[in-house]
Amino acid sequence: MAIEEIIKKFSEVFEGEMIFPENDRYDKARKLWNGLYNKYPAAIARCGKPSDVVAAVNFVRENDLTFSVRGGGHDYAGNSVCDDGLVIDLSSMNKVEVDPNIKKAIVQGGATVGEFDAAAQKHGLATTTGTVSTIGIGGLALGGGSGYLSRRFGMTLDNVVSVEIVTADGRHILASAEENSDLFWAVRGGGGNFGIVTSFKFRLHKVGRKVLSFQAYFPYEQSREVLEFYRDFMAKASDELQCYAFFLNVPAVEPFPKEYHGKTTCAFIACHTGDPEKGKEELQPLHNFGDPFLKFIQPMEYTALQKSFDAGVPKGLRWFTKAHYLSEISDTAIDILEEYTQQLPGAFTMTYLEPMGGMVKRIKSSATAFPHRDKAYSLHILPGWGEAEKDKENIDWAEEFHRTLQKETVGGVYVNLMSHDEEERVTAAYVQNYDRLVEIKKKWDPDNLFRSNHNIDPG
Ligand SMILES: Cc1cc2nc3c(=O)[nH]c(=O)nc-3n(C[C@H](O)[C@H](O)[C@H](O)COP(=O)(O)OP(=O)(O)OC[C@H]3O[C@@H](n4cnc5c(N)ncnc54)[C@H](O)[C@@H]3O)c2cc1C
């Protein structure tokens, strides 16, 4: 029987929404954030409840069908949609329930960062999520999750208390420190390799509604001094302070001065989430530094801060990704950063350094599957462009930049920043935790059912 017929038959009993190529909703539903991938699944099974996920998992396993799992659809590598198979789509499973008394939230596996942040912030609470509101909590939390709060509260995955998960054999079970603890360890970093998480229970923290935001944009010519200052400043920063160093093209909008529109800038994008007076004091040296063409320091709603990058990463553009970890920002690394960023190839291209440290570092590397606790910076090379004929130019730039920088890095890669052509780097994503992950994969998914991801092969 053709795959379409098999799925049509299944759709008669499937209680979620089945979207076929002939349906109006198909095109919107199949498209990912990254326009570099344009895949055509045989159908999209949009699940509304955990039993829909169980039914879909049993169906693809019993019929040996190609399938993928989609949360927020922001996978850089495009793994969450497949050609000619079934997409198990969780985007309608986006409920967030917050209990402010015990500072916990139950978040369904298809919710976005924005949905989670908004619900928690009604009570002045938050936990570490990513810095773009449209990304999915599913992919974020299962791979790692870093953002403005990670130095203070750890990665997103460090704040997971338990998960409800549908495993390869179709069971819907709980995994926590007490129950199925090996699986709980593995899902915190192991990505979508171990099953489909229908809901996460998260620990929340009192953050308040407003945080102190600071941004400064410098003429590109000052980038060396900016980075030299930055590395000294971050070496002494408190856990409440997070500051990214960005290279990007100046957007052609207010309040950026017209003469800088479209030019490359080096910028500090910072936030202090602790006591506002302490924040002002700690941000003062950044505020006093250099000669930026635009800077501001202001209290900002946390949810607004969490959306402030959204416009810079529009859905549907073509994106490619390369990442490294650094133990320091060496003089040679600054030389290489300057060499490759002076002319960014795509209109939305950026490169940024994200400091790790703080609580991320204080948690043991063996505590969860995410091993990169001791790294000082995560570096992300992210070209973004519009025209298919410019794919090679942008991808070549990122690959050469990445290769040249290799000698200044400490190895390893953050699994959530890997591209589609890096499967040989999966061991580098897990280093000393890889063998344990393989053992747990052998137990929970011996036939490698969940493989449309950065795959941990049970062998
Ligand atoms: C614009 C942008 C900004 C980003 N910013 C940050 C950031 O600030 N910090 C950070 O740490 N990362 C960041 N990332 C990386 C992000 O964490 C990953 O891309 C993540 O995989 C996105 O999750 P998603 O659910 O949207 O992705 P999807 O494309 O839906 O899923 C990615 C993979 O995750 C798995 N998956 C998703 N949901 C589930 C689930 N419920 N159960 C089982 N498996 C699941 C699937 O295997 C799928 O292949 C960013 C990415 C983008 C595109």
Side-chain angles (χ1 to χ4, degrees):
M1 217 192 302
I3 179 167
E4 290 77 11
E5 280 176 62
I6 298 174
I7 298 177
K8 282 255 152 76
K9 219 158 172 268
F10 173 59
S11 74
E12 289 162 16
V13 292
F14 180 63
E15 292 180 3
E17 182 188 8
M18 190 67 78
I19 304 171
F20 290 101
E22 59 271 23
N23 298 137
D24 294 345
R25 296 180 306 284
Y26 175 78
D27 231 28
K28 193 166 177 224
R30 75 178 177 83
K31 284 197 176 151
L32 289 172
W33 167 82
N34 191 346
L36 193 59
Y37 308 104
N38 188 24
K39 299 186 192 177
Y40 291 86
I44 297 158
R46 189 162 279 168
C47 302
K49 53 187 186 304
S51 58
D52 296 343
V53 179
V54 170
V57 166
N58 286 335
F59 169 69
V60 292
R61 188 189 63 248
E62 283 158 13
N63 291 281
D64 198 14
L65 292 189
T66 298
F67 75 101
S68 63
V69 180
R70 178 193 170 120
H74 277 58
D75 188 20
Y76 282 116
N79 284 327
S80 47
V81 169
C82 55
D83 277 320
D84 307 321
L86 186 73
V87 176
I88 302 178
D89 179 342
L90 306 172
S91 60
S92 292
M93 291 177 60
N94 59 351
K95 276 195 216 80
V96 180
E97 283 170 35
V98 177
D99 185 337
N101 297 317
I102 53 166
K103 297 205 195 90
K104 299 277 180 337
I106 308 279
V107 181
Q108 282 195 315
T112 62
V113 161
E115 286 159 346
F116 183 18
D117 285 342
Q121 274 289 288
K122 280 188 188 151
H123 310 278
L125 301 171
T127 198
T128 308
T129 54
T131 52
V132 168
S133 74
T134 50
I135 53 181
I137 288 293
L140 180 83
L142 294 172
S146 60
Y148 288 113
L149 295 175
S150 41
R151 287 165 53 79
R152 192 169 169 197
F153 302 125
M155 312 277 292
T156 308
L157 56 74
D158 295 324
N159 291 284
V160 176
V161 179
S162 62
V163 295
E164 288 193 7
I165 183 168
V166 178
T167 51
D169 54 7
R171 282 184 296 150
H172 186 220
I173 59 171
L174 185 87
S176 68
E178 290 77 36
E179 231 169 293
N180 301 309
S181 57
D182 57 344
L183 184 59
F184 183 56
W185 179 85
V187 295
R188 287 174 298 154
N193 271 285
F194 297 90
I196 302 183
V197 172
T198 55
S199 70
F200 297 86
K201 185 189 266 189
F202 281 106
R203 192 178 303 116
L204 299 171
H205 310 269
K206 197 166 178 335
V207 169
R209 297 283 178 87
K210 289 206 170 170
V211 295
L212 196 58
S213 159
F214 173 78
Q215 299 192 6
Y217 296 82
F218 298 87
Y220 185 75
E221 301 69 50
Q222 293 174 29
S223 54
R224 170 166 290 279
E225 294 94 286
V226 170
L227 289 183
E228 285 172 353
F229 175 82
Y230 174 72
R231 69 183 168 194
D232 295 340
F233 176 79
M234 280 316 298
K236 291 175 252 150
S238 73
D239 293 358
E240 281 88 10
L241 191 137
Q242 178 61 308
C243 180
Y244 294 81
F246 262 84
F247 290 95
L248 74 161
N249 293 314
V250 178
V253 291
E254 295 272 342
F256 295 98
K258 267 212 170 78
E259 62 271 31
Y260 287 99
H261 287 182
K263 290 192 175 156
T264 307
T265 177
C266 183
F268 294 139
I269 298 188
C271 163
H272 192 284
T273 59
D275 174 71
E277 285 310 312
K278 269 200 201 149
K280 261 191 210 153
E281 202 178 299
E282 201 180 351
L283 285 164
Q284 202 58 44
L286 276 187
H287 198 253
N288 293 344
F289 172 74
D291 194 13
F293 59 83
L294 178 71
K295 72 174 167 183
F296 60 82
I297 182 164
Q298 64 190 36
M300 200 186 237
E301 292 214 346
Y302 177 73
T303 48
L305 177 78
Q306 285 286 86
K307 287 182 186 149
S308 57
F309 282 134
D310 290 9
V313 287
K315 182 177 175 177
L317 223 63
R318 306 169 86 78
W319 301 92
F320 187 66
T321 174
K322 281 281 166 188
H324 273 309
Y325 280 117
L326 275 61
S327 63
E328 57 166 350
I329 306 172
S330 66
D331 289 344
T332 313
I334 294 180
D335 290 341
I336 297 167
L337 283 164
E338 284 207 302
E339 180 188 343
Y340 282 90
T341 57
Q342 51 189 308
Q343 238 172 357
L344 299 172
F348 286 82
T349 297
M350 58 186 99
T351 294
Y352 61 87
L353 285 155
E354 177 179 44
M356 311 271 288
M359 185 55 94
V360 176
K361 191 174 179 180
R362 286 196 286 277
I363 293 169
K364 274 193 180 161
S365 292
S366 58
T368 67
F370 176 83
H372 306 291
R373 304 284 177 177
D374 55 343
K375 310 288 171 22
Y377 290 94
S378 169
L379 175 115
H380 193 192
I381 301 167
L382 182 61
W385 67 102
E387 315 83 346
E389 58 278 15
K390 293 197 174 161
D391 287 1
K392 187 170 166 15
E393 179 193 338
N394 281 275
I395 291 171
D396 285 356
W397 170 81
E399 287 191 330
E400 193 187 304
F401 188 176
H402 186 255
R403 257 195 317 275
T404 311
L405 202 57
Q406 180 91 45
K407 61 184 188 305
E408 296 303 308
T409 67
V410 278
V413 63
Y414 175 26
V415 72
N416 277 359
L417 301 186
M418 280 169 60
S419 69
H420 62 269
D421 57 357
E422 292 192 300
E423 284 316 305
E424 81 292 346
R425 284 185 99 196
V426 173
T427 47
Y430 296 114
V431 277
Q432 70 274 18
N433 288 339
Y434 184 73
D435 290 347
R436 187 171 170 197
L437 281 166
V438 171
E439 288 311 308
I440 298 172
K441 179 86 173 170
K442 274 184 194 161
K443 177 176 163 191
W444 289 95
D445 184 15
D447 298 325
N448 204 7
L449 184 74
F450 298 107
R451 59 178 175 272
S452 180
N453 46 41
H454 296 298
N455 193 229
I456 296 162
D457 189 341

